[in-house]
Amino acid sequence: MGVVKVNNIRVYAHHGCLAEESIIGSDYRVDVLVRANLSPASISDKLADTVDYVQINQIVVEEMKIASKLLEHVAKRILNRIFSEIEMATEAEVSVSKINPPIGGDVEMVTVQLNEKRL
Protein backbone atom coordinates (compact mmCIF):
# COMPACT_ATOMS: atom_id res chain seq x y z
CA MET A 1 0.00 0.00 0.00
CA GLY A 2 1.11 3.56 -0.53
CA VAL A 3 -0.02 7.16 -0.51
CA VAL A 4 -0.01 9.91 -3.12
CA LYS A 5 -0.55 13.40 -1.69
CA VAL A 6 -1.21 16.60 -3.57
CA ASN A 7 -1.03 19.46 -1.09
CA ASN A 8 -1.96 23.12 -1.26
CA ILE A 9 -3.75 23.19 -4.60
CA ARG A 10 -4.62 26.89 -4.76
CA VAL A 11 -7.74 28.00 -6.61
CA TYR A 12 -10.04 30.99 -6.75
CA ALA A 13 -13.69 29.94 -6.62
CA HIS A 14 -17.23 31.06 -5.78
CA HIS A 15 -18.50 28.88 -2.94
CA GLY A 16 -20.57 29.98 0.04
CA CYS A 17 -24.01 30.62 1.44
CA LEU A 18 -23.74 34.40 1.29
CA ALA A 19 -24.76 36.11 -1.96
CA GLU A 20 -21.57 38.16 -2.07
CA GLU A 21 -19.46 34.98 -1.80
CA SER A 22 -20.95 33.64 -5.01
CA ILE A 23 -20.39 36.99 -6.75
CA ILE A 24 -16.99 38.05 -5.42
CA GLY A 25 -15.42 34.64 -4.79
CA SER A 26 -12.40 33.92 -2.63
CA ASP A 27 -9.19 31.94 -2.36
CA TYR A 28 -9.24 28.25 -1.51
CA ARG A 29 -6.73 25.56 -0.67
CA VAL A 30 -7.38 21.90 -1.42
CA ASP A 31 -5.33 18.95 -0.12
CA VAL A 32 -5.83 15.42 -1.44
CA LEU A 33 -4.49 12.10 -0.19
CA VAL A 34 -5.08 8.90 -2.16
CA ARG A 35 -4.20 5.41 -0.90
CA ALA A 36 -3.46 2.70 -3.46
CA ASN A 37 -1.20 -0.25 -4.11
CA LEU A 38 1.92 1.51 -5.40
CA SER A 39 4.10 -1.62 -5.41
CA PRO A 40 3.70 -2.25 -9.16
CA ALA A 41 4.84 1.31 -9.95
CA SER A 42 7.84 0.98 -7.64
CA ILE A 43 9.01 -1.93 -9.80
CA SER A 44 7.84 -0.99 -13.30
CA ASP A 45 8.59 2.77 -13.25
CA LYS A 46 5.44 3.27 -15.37
CA LEU A 47 2.90 6.06 -14.88
CA ALA A 48 0.10 3.64 -15.72
CA ASP A 49 0.90 1.69 -12.54
CA THR A 50 0.44 4.58 -10.12
CA VAL A 51 -1.93 7.37 -9.13
CA ASP A 52 -1.31 10.30 -11.47
CA TYR A 53 -1.09 13.49 -9.40
CA VAL A 54 -1.68 15.56 -12.54
CA GLN A 55 -5.08 13.88 -12.81
CA ILE A 56 -5.82 14.63 -9.15
CA ASN A 57 -5.00 18.30 -9.69
CA GLN A 58 -7.23 18.42 -12.79
CA ILE A 59 -10.16 16.88 -10.90
CA VAL A 60 -9.81 19.47 -8.12
CA VAL A 61 -9.56 22.41 -10.52
CA GLU A 62 -12.62 21.27 -12.50
CA GLU A 63 -14.78 20.60 -9.43
CA MET A 64 -13.80 23.86 -7.74
CA LYS A 65 -15.16 25.74 -10.79
CA ILE A 66 -18.67 24.48 -9.96
CA ALA A 67 -20.18 26.79 -7.34
CA SER A 68 -21.58 25.20 -4.17
CA LYS A 69 -22.97 26.62 -0.97
CA LEU A 70 -21.06 24.19 1.25
CA LEU A 71 -17.45 23.06 1.24
CA GLU A 72 -18.72 19.58 2.16
CA HIS A 73 -20.51 19.40 -1.19
CA VAL A 74 -17.37 20.34 -3.12
CA ALA A 75 -15.23 17.83 -1.19
CA LYS A 76 -17.74 15.04 -1.84
CA ARG A 77 -17.77 15.78 -5.57
CA ILE A 78 -13.97 15.58 -5.63
CA LEU A 79 -14.06 12.24 -3.78
CA ASN A 80 -16.68 10.90 -6.19
CA ARG A 81 -14.51 11.80 -9.18
CA ILE A 82 -11.41 10.24 -7.62
CA PHE A 83 -13.18 6.92 -7.10
CA SER A 84 -14.85 6.95 -10.51
CA GLU A 85 -11.72 7.91 -12.47
CA ILE A 86 -8.84 6.36 -10.50
CA GLU A 87 -9.64 2.66 -10.30
CA MET A 88 -6.65 1.78 -8.14
CA ALA A 89 -7.67 4.24 -5.39
CA THR A 90 -8.74 2.31 -2.28
CA GLU A 91 -9.14 5.26 0.06
CA ALA A 92 -9.08 9.03 -0.30
CA GLU A 93 -9.11 12.10 1.90
CA VAL A 94 -10.00 15.58 0.67
CA SER A 95 -9.63 18.82 2.62
CA VAL A 96 -11.15 22.02 1.22
CA SER A 97 -10.14 25.25 2.98
CA LYS A 98 -11.58 28.72 2.52
CA ILE A 99 -8.85 31.32 3.07
CA ASN A 100 -9.88 34.40 5.09
CA PRO A 101 -13.55 33.38 5.47
CA PRO A 102 -16.10 36.16 5.98
CA ILE A 103 -17.03 35.22 9.56
CA GLY A 104 -16.35 38.49 11.34
CA GLY A 105 -13.12 37.42 13.01
CA ASP A 106 -9.40 37.09 12.45
CA VAL A 107 -9.42 33.55 11.02
CA GLU A 108 -6.78 32.33 8.58
CA MET A 109 -8.99 29.60 7.09
CA VAL A 110 -11.78 27.15 7.70
CA THR A 111 -11.43 23.56 6.52
CA VAL A 112 -13.77 20.70 5.77
CA GLN A 113 -12.22 17.25 5.52
CA LEU A 114 -13.93 14.14 4.15
CA ASN A 115 -12.53 10.59 4.02
CA GLU A 116 -13.88 7.62 2.09
CA LYS A 117 -12.94 4.05 1.33
CA ARG A 118 -13.86 2.24 -1.84
CA LEU A 119 -16.72 -0.17 -1.20
Side-chain angles (χ1 to χ4, degrees):
M1 220 20 107
V3 171
V4 173
K5 294 182 190 179
V6 184
N7 291 321
N8 202 17
I9 302 169
R10 294 178 297 274
V11 294
Y12 192 84
H14 296 83
H15 305 300
C17 293
L18 303 175
E20 53 270 16
E21 289 178 298
S22 62
I23 296 167
I24 298 168
S26 58
D27 292 311
Y28 291 83
R29 170 189 172 156
V30 180
D31 299 303
V32 178
L33 178 148
V34 177
R35 292 190 189 283
N37 181 0
L38 302 180
S39 294
S42 71
I43 297 165
S44 72
D45 198 28
K46 293 181 182 176
L47 181 59
D49 291 336
T50 192
V51 175
D52 186 353
Y53 51 79
V54 173
Q55 183 180 14
I56 293 171
N57 183 69
Q58 188 62 37
I59 289 169
V60 168
V61 169
E62 290 173 4
E63 290 303 322
M64 290 297 288
K65 286 181 182 177
I66 302 168
S68 290
K69 291 181 181 165
L70 299 178
L71 299 181
E72 292 87 342
H73 190 254
V74 180
K76 178 63 173 157
R77 287 199 324 263
I78 294 168
L79 281 171
N80 289 346
R81 291 263 318 262
I82 288 169
F83 285 117
S84 71
E85 296 178 25
I86 304 173
E87 290 184 23
M88 67 185 318
T90 59
E91 187 176 348
E93 177 180 295
V94 175
S95 298
V96 180
S97 302
K98 182 180 284 192
I99 310 298
N100 296 318
I103 60 174
D106 185 14
V107 176
E108 179 182 357
M109 71 177 121
V110 294
T111 302
V112 168
Q113 180 177 318
L114 295 180
N115 304 342
E116 277 193 27
K117 292 183 179 182
R118 186 180 294 281
L119 299 175

